Amino acid sequence: MSDPQVTSRTAGTLGGRKQIALLVLCAQLFLDSMDVSLMGVALPELKDDLGLSAEELQWIISGYAVAYGGFLLLGGRAADLFGRRRMFFWGTAVFAVASLAGGFVSDGTLLIVSRVIKGVAAAFIAPAALSIIMTTFKEGPERNRAVGIFSLTGASGYAAGLVLSGVLTELNWRLTFFVPFVIAALVLAAVRYAVSPDPVRDGERPGFDAFGAVTATGGVLLLVFALTRAPEVGWGSAATVLSLVASVALLVAFVIIQNRRAEPLVQLSIFRSRTLSTANVVGLTWACATIGWQFVALLYLQQVLDYSALGAGAAIVPMAAAILVTVNVTPRVINRFGLRVPAVAGLLLQGLGILLFLRADESSEYVTVLLPALILHGIGNGLSFPSFNVAGVSGVADEQQGLATSLIQSALQLGGGLGVAVAAAVLATGGEGGLASYHRAFLAVGLFSLAGALAAALGLGPARTPEPDGAADAPDAADAADGPKGAPGATDARTDARKGTIDGSDPAVLEREGA
């Protein structure tokens, strides 16, 4: 009986189609990331055209992000069980149909439903795409370059969505649904040509942790629902209290289930790594700040400063450019200083850029008030994003890389949903549209970034100090501690201990992960 994991690793794309496969996979990731930011500029148009409430506007953004984050772990497990290409194909098909449907509906509830469905589809697409890359490209420089391009695509998609949304909304807000449909349809048409079929699985199929998936997803969704509804119905209302209690109960049940199952959805032992745990906390706070700021800032530009949709999109261009430039330079910064320095510095700069919006008023000058804040935010965003992403998978065994990747992606998407929920709640408490409420919302999301900087400073480890010559060849305690050289995982453990990758500070981690 052949090992399905081994069989999977030998399966790749057909012949010389690796680059086409990478292009197809990156195109879909670009689309998934773009959809997180694409709706931002369109919100005022949606509000006026469809008569949506502030709560409905919030759910158009956070519904996608929370569904994406809530179902990511389930999506990753489904790819392992039912086939990576199969999950990528059907996830993309659902994404395309939901995009097309969203462009035609004229009801707020149906629009939110289409966004939630797209988020669920993206949660099945992303882990399948990364798994295909990991099993298609040979370990070493080839895989590193592929993963690096894949990661850069995600950051580029988010930045592009901020800008493109203004152009599309100026023409018609429905294009923010139709354009993703066209891209998804093109990806769908190319998948079967570019990616080889899933290998035939021999033997008994591993178990599926349905209860774990239900409790984790339900707990997160109820938490965000409570945060969203509380400003309207009251923090002490029965709906809010019951939702929060149910959320905590489901999340506690999830932890209990994971501890007792032989094949859990999440192996909780992975959180023993301080670096990995810290990276997920940092990713959560980073997304709370980034996506929460986006929600507030784009409403401010259009509702307070009376920018058009195209003007708001154009105003974000310098920030998007700063992200793209910085994210390309950050690998060298990590090589030089380790992960803690760029993570902390980036989050502080991002927080400063957000808090500079406290200077904004009803007649703020773009060049003197808004532009410096946008550029600082962009630099901080591009500096911190690769840092905690690399930290989230450093020092993790190969067989747990998929889980580690899903965890950090889940933290980002859930953080985005929570950030928007908090920002919307703060805006609502101050009276919709008032400048003071915008200032409080900017302060709230800016504090998330500062909290992330503190977590990174405490948990990501110090910058690596160079080893003396010959140290890499000297025997060390790790060799003795790992047992026989042929033991499973011994080589990886010795390498991690020698290079310092367990604290996420070594540049070799960056090279290994392809950032």
Side-chain angles (χ1 to χ4, degrees):
M1 182 177 68
S2 62
D3 187 335
Q5 293 297 328
V6 174
T7 305
S8 175
R9 276 197 176 275
T10 61
T13 51
L14 303 174
R17 297 176 185 168
K18 285 186 177 182
Q19 300 309 316
I20 299 176
L22 183 61
L23 176 64
V24 169
L25 298 171
C26 285
Q28 184 60 42
L29 176 68
F30 183 91
L31 180 57
D32 293 347
S33 301
M34 185 176 72
D35 232 47
V36 174
S37 56
L38 191 61
M39 299 302 300
V41 176
L43 292 181
E45 292 289 333
L46 286 168
K47 179 181 179 182
D48 294 339
D49 195 13
L50 302 182
L52 303 183
S53 66
E55 182 183 356
E56 288 175 314
L57 291 179
Q58 182 257 305
W59 269 104
I60 288 176
I61 300 295
S62 61
Y64 177 87
V66 172
Y68 192 162
F71 283 89
L72 254 173
L73 295 175
L74 182 60
R77 186 62 174 158
D80 289 339
L81 292 176
F82 305 115
R84 290 158 183 151
R85 192 183 79 165
R86 183 176 293 110
M87 286 298 102
F88 183 87
F89 178 87
W90 288 110
T92 303
V94 172
F95 190 99
V97 171
S99 292
L100 184 63
F104 283 113
V105 301
S106 296
D107 176 78
T109 301
L110 293 178
L111 200 64
I112 293 170
V113 169
S114 73
R115 290 281 293 168
V116 170
I117 293 174
K118 288 173 73 174
V120 174
F124 284 80
I125 294 168
L130 185 58
S131 296
I132 292 171
I133 287 178
M134 297 297 285
T135 56
T136 295
F137 292 88
K138 294 180 181 178
E139 187 173 3
E142 182 181 89
R143 183 187 294 174
N144 289 345
R145 284 193 296 270
V147 175
I149 293 171
F150 190 72
S151 300
L152 179 60
T153 300
S156 302
Y158 172 75
L162 289 172
V163 178
L164 186 59
S165 59
V167 178
L168 297 179
T169 303
E170 189 71 18
L171 298 172
N172 191 308
W173 66 262
R174 295 185 185 276
L175 290 175
T176 59
F177 286 87
F178 291 144
V179 169
F181 162 74
V182 173
I183 298 174
L186 292 174
V187 170
L188 199 63
V191 169
R192 293 187 181 276
Y193 169 80
V195 182
S196 63
D198 295 310
V200 177
R201 181 181 293 274
D202 296 328
E204 185 179 353
R205 192 182 300 274
F208 183 70
D209 185 11
F211 287 111
V214 169
T215 52
T217 304
V220 171
L221 291 177
L222 280 173
L223 176 61
V224 177
F225 176 78
L227 292 175
T228 304
R229 294 281 294 167
E232 181 179 343
V233 301
W235 289 96
S237 67
T240 301
V241 173
L242 289 175
S243 296
L244 290 174
V245 170
S247 172
V248 172
L250 285 172
L251 293 175
V252 170
F254 171 73
V255 173
I256 294 173
I257 291 170
Q258 301 312 287
N259 275 321
R260 293 184 176 181
R261 282 191 65 90
E263 295 175 343
L265 189 67
V266 177
Q267 295 175 340
L268 298 179
S269 60
I270 199 171
F271 291 107
R272 293 173 186 166
S273 166
R274 186 186 70 171
T275 298
L276 180 143
S277 298
T278 300
N280 280 275
V281 172
V282 172
L284 183 77
T285 56
W286 179 92
C288 284
T290 298
I291 310 301
W293 171 87
Q294 171 200 316
F295 177 78
V296 180
L298 292 174
L299 286 176
Y300 164 77
L301 289 175
Q302 295 179 83
Q303 294 188 342
V304 178
L305 296 186
D306 292 326
Y307 278 39
S308 66
L310 183 61
I316 301 297
V317 169
M319 176 183 166
I323 291 174
L324 294 180
V325 170
T326 308
V327 83
N328 279 286
V329 175
T330 300
R332 279 176 269 173
V333 178
I334 296 175
N335 278 331
R336 171 80 173 167
F337 298 104
L339 292 170
R340 174 191 282 176
V341 171
V344 173
L347 285 158
L348 289 176
L349 286 173
Q350 175 183 279
L352 178 60
I354 293 173
L355 294 178
L356 282 178
F357 270 81
L358 295 176
R359 302 166 58 214
D361 55 28
E362 292 91 343
S363 57
S364 294
E365 291 289 335
Y366 180 78
V367 174
T368 58
V369 178
L370 303 183
L371 184 60
L374 290 167
I375 292 176
L376 279 176
H377 187 172
I379 293 172
N381 196 292
L383 195 60
S384 54
F385 181 80
S387 304
F388 65 75
N389 268 279
V390 173
V393 294
S394 63
V396 177
D398 284 350
E399 61 270 18
Q400 290 187 308
Q401 284 290 324
L403 173 60
T405 302
S406 295
L407 286 172
I408 195 69
Q409 288 298 318
S410 295
L412 288 172
Q413 299 304 327
L414 295 177
L418 289 171
V420 172
V422 170
V426 174
L427 279 175
T429 56
E432 186 180 347
L435 183 62
S437 64
Y438 280 100
H439 283 170
R440 283 191 288 269
F442 283 130
L443 177 61
V445 296
L447 291 177
F448 279 120
S449 188
L450 300 184
L454 178 61
L458 295 176
L460 288 189
R464 176 178 176 264
T465 55
E467 294 174 340
D469 293 339
D473 299 322
D476 52 37
D479 289 325
D482 289 329
K485 290 185 180 292
T491 301
D492 288 343
R494 284 193 301 275
T495 302
D496 288 344
R498 184 176 293 118
K499 292 182 177 179
T501 58
I502 197 66
D503 70 359
S505 61
D506 189 83
V509 177
L510 178 65
E511 292 298 324
R512 187 181 67 199
E513 299 307 329

